[in-house]
Amino acid sequence: MRAGQPAAAWRRHLADELASRPLDDTLVQAGGAVLAVLGLWLIVLALTPGLRHRLPLKTPAAQMHAVLDRKAAELRMRDAAMRVPGVSAARVRFSRKRATARADVRFRTPADVQADVRTALLQELDQLALAHRPSLRVRVRPRRP
């Protein structure tokens, strides 16, 4: 309803019906019960975790649905980063749209290691065959003694 405008006819009719009916009317109680069940259902949906911890995979058929656990994808990506020479520790995290990798460099120049880690992780992302490929962010820092 806009300010200064009269309410729509169906709203006025509904308000008049609700104002004139007693609370023990069957129609009012049934409507209240339906709204209460709908509200509880919305609360249950809001509290359920959903499938955020799973990443959808490409499938050859539309009827098939395959997912990969987010932690498993993070472990595979971490292992790929650890195979790069010069990396002493690595951590990979997946969010909805981005994969973030952090690597500690024991030897070699950080720029060379960053380029090698990026290519290794891009190859690993291709092998994972995710339905929506995340963007990749690679951060490298020299390891402190």
Side-chain angles (χ1 to χ4, degrees):
M1 173 168 129
R2 294 182 182 168
Q5 300 278 333
W10 66 271
R11 288 186 185 194
R12 285 189 303 232
H13 178 70
L14 182 64
D16 291 339
E17 285 292 322
L18 290 175
S20 64
R21 290 186 185 265
L23 291 179
D24 62 351
D25 185 34
T26 308
L27 191 60
V28 173
Q29 289 180 350
V34 167
L35 289 176
V37 168
L38 180 66
L40 285 174
W41 179 248
L42 289 175
I43 289 172
V44 166
L45 286 177
L47 295 178
T48 54
L51 298 176
R52 289 180 180 259
H53 62 282
R54 295 187 181 173
L55 300 169
L57 298 175
K58 291 179 189 173
T59 55
Q63 301 88 351
M64 189 183 307
H65 181 72
V67 293
L68 177 66
D69 189 56
R70 195 177 294 255
K71 293 292 181 187
E74 290 172 355
L75 285 174
R76 280 201 57 179
M77 296 283 285
R78 181 187 62 98
D79 291 345
M82 289 296 292
R83 285 192 292 269
V84 173
V87 175
S88 61
R91 179 180 175 203
V92 178
R93 294 287 174 232
F94 272 91
S95 65
R96 287 176 147 193
K97 297 180 181 180
R98 179 176 297 148
T100 303
R102 293 181 183 156
D104 292 339
V105 179
R106 171 122 7 216
F107 59 92
R108 293 179 64 197
T109 60
D112 293 342
V113 172
Q114 183 175 13
D116 290 346
V117 167
R118 177 174 291 284
T119 56
L121 292 181
L122 287 173
Q123 289 174 355
E124 191 67 29
L125 273 176
D126 288 339
Q127 290 179 359
L128 286 178
L130 298 175
H132 307 288
R133 185 175 178 162
S135 64
L136 181 64
R137 176 184 286 173
V138 178
R139 293 183 181 175
V140 176
R141 65 180 179 182
R143 183 170 173 143
R144 297 181 191 131

